[in-house]
Amino acid sequence: MEETVSAAVHGHSVVYAPRIQDLLAAEEKVFRIDATTVGVSDCHLMAEIVAARPVLATERSVYKPAAGADIPHDSATRTIRALGQDVMAGMRTPPPPARGLSGAWPYASTAYLRRWLFSSDPLPVSLLSKRGVTRSDTLSRIVDRAVTAWPGSGAEGSGTALAERIRGASGTQDRKQAVAMYRRATATLCDGVAALAGNALWLMGPGRKREGAPAGLTAILWETLRLLPPAWMLYRKGGDAYTALHPEIRPADNVALFPLLMHRHPDYWSDPLEFRPERWAGVEDPEKTPGFMPFGFEGARCWAKHLVVPLAERLLTVGFDNGLAVRGPRRDAEVPLRSLLAVRFEAEAGA
């Protein structure tokens, strides 16, 4: 793993991967990352960039082409609706035993969420989102082929709505895309919720667990999205649409937008490194707060944003009801360089 360096947040010692630390040390709001990439954390310029052109399919993780073809808009919409249906149904069922939350976070919480929400899916569909499978390209290809050939045996409606999308696909190509969408949708949701809940658990500290829960947990999660947003960087491919917006941006430059930096800038926030959930008290719509971009931007907002905070709140409530606590030095945590910003630590239920 890359060498890491330390920085402070709310008195905690956060060990970031060096490339993230370099970004946090940037003094300018518009800066060059490398020969072909410009970083932006300026609130107004970010708004201009996202308004300059529509988002490309390749810039959206769930909608990017699969099985050699673009994902049709109606297919993506049906997948999102199916996921929402599955999450709502899952949250109405009793959660799995809380001992599943013990272990290395965010991995333990990701696995816990998958068991909670998608355990009704038959084999081999349930293997699509298993970490042991997804970490291996070879196993992923084998499981994908197996699910593509899966005849959908068993009673109709016995699995999730996402699994039914695979069962009901017409033809091999549609089924391959349904498999890809199942994998992406479940991974994006569970990984994102686990990262948010884990970041919040660590930021809360030992004395903040029950502040007005569950209403207090909502404010805690919004403040976590500010300080440690899982979606910490948004990538846009270069082009002429951006060159007139800032002299640093050239036609061939890609643009990286950094909510992580914007959310910590004193131009937009008072005491920006302080963990203060109370700053969200009385805020009717946090996403309209200037300098705040927790779920992307207009036209490309996270398709599961309406599920993320309620599910993270429910997950933390289950954990707290079962004595979930961070093990070891609470004030130290590691943040590696990954697509999702997630604090790593060990936790134990029943502590």
Side-chain angles (χ1 to χ4, degrees):
M1 181 176 164
E2 297 177 272
E3 180 185 357
T4 57
V5 292
S6 179
V9 172
H10 182 55
H12 292 59
S13 177
V14 191
V15 185
Y16 292 100
R19 289 181 65 186
I20 299 178
Q21 182 61 31
D22 289 345
L23 294 170
L24 291 169
E27 296 183 358
E28 300 296 328
K29 294 180 184 177
V30 182
F31 51 94
R32 184 159 291 280
I33 297 174
D34 55 39
T36 60
T37 309
V38 172
V40 178
S41 62
D42 180 86
C43 173
H44 304 294
L45 181 56
M46 288 172 74
E48 291 178 341
I49 288 172
V50 301
R53 66 161 173 81
V55 180
L56 305 177
T58 53
E59 295 171 334
R60 305 180 71 170
S61 59
V62 175
Y63 296 96
K64 64 184 179 182
D70 290 338
I71 300 291
H73 183 269
D74 60 341
S75 176
T77 299
R78 288 194 295 270
T79 298
I80 294 169
R81 289 174 179 169
L83 179 67
Q85 178 182 332
D86 292 337
V87 171
M88 293 296 101
M91 289 176 66
R92 289 192 294 268
T93 64
R99 62 177 177 272
L101 291 172
S102 296
W105 277 54
Y107 303 122
S109 51
T110 298
Y112 185 88
L113 286 167
R114 287 171 176 163
R115 286 196 299 274
W116 191 356
L117 302 176
F118 305 107
S119 62
S120 64
D121 287 337
L123 286 171
V125 176
S126 62
L127 296 177
L128 287 171
S129 58
K130 295 290 186 182
R131 183 167 178 251
V133 172
T134 57
R135 293 182 69 186
S136 167
D137 290 340
T138 300
L139 284 177
S140 292
R141 287 194 296 269
I142 292 172
V143 171
D144 283 3
R145 285 196 296 267
V147 177
T148 300
W150 170 56
S153 59
E156 185 175 351
S158 60
T160 63
L162 278 177
E164 288 298 312
R165 294 273 300 135
I166 300 173
R167 183 202 302 270
S170 58
T172 301
Q173 177 69 12
D174 286 346
R175 180 163 287 197
K176 286 181 179 180
Q177 290 201 328
V179 168
M181 292 295 281
Y182 180 101
R183 186 191 292 278
R184 292 176 189 174
T186 56
T188 300
L189 177 74
C190 294
D191 292 351
V193 170
L196 173 58
N199 293 351
L201 180 64
W202 183 74
L203 279 172
M204 284 181 213
R208 307 183 72 109
K209 288 183 180 179
R210 289 289 188 177
E211 284 186 355
L217 279 178
T218 304
I220 285 170
L221 289 168
W222 284 114
E223 181 68 347
T224 300
L225 284 165
R226 185 188 69 83
L227 266 179
L228 291 173
W232 63 284
M233 187 272 284
L234 305 169
Y235 179 80
R236 305 279 277 184
K237 290 188 175 180
D240 294 336
Y242 306 139
T243 55
L245 302 179
H246 194 278
E248 183 68 32
I249 304 175
R250 304 174 304 205
D253 284 334
N254 299 314
V255 179
L257 310 178
F258 289 100
L260 175 67
L261 307 186
M262 182 174 67
H263 291 179
R264 294 159 174 253
H265 203 285
D267 283 358
Y268 310 126
W269 305 92
S270 60
D271 300 319
L273 295 185
E274 286 298 311
F275 180 67
R276 290 172 44 196
E278 60 273 14
R279 75 174 79 231
W280 299 102
V283 178
E284 185 175 345
D285 187 351
E287 289 189 83
K288 292 183 179 179
T289 303
F292 190 49
M293 189 183 287
F295 294 114
F297 43 83
E298 194 65 36
R301 292 196 189 280
C302 172
W303 45 270
K305 74 183 190 72
H306 63 293
L307 304 172
V308 171
V309 172
L311 188 53
E313 186 174 314
R314 182 75 188 279
L315 177 65
L316 286 175
T317 299
V318 171
F320 295 154
D321 286 346
N322 290 274
L324 182 68
V326 175
R327 283 203 306 242
R330 180 179 293 276
R331 302 180 74 83
D332 297 322
E334 174 187 324
V335 181
L337 183 63
R338 296 288 187 272
S339 58
L340 285 176
L341 189 73
V343 172
R344 291 186 175 185
F345 57 86
E346 295 284 328
E348 183 177 3

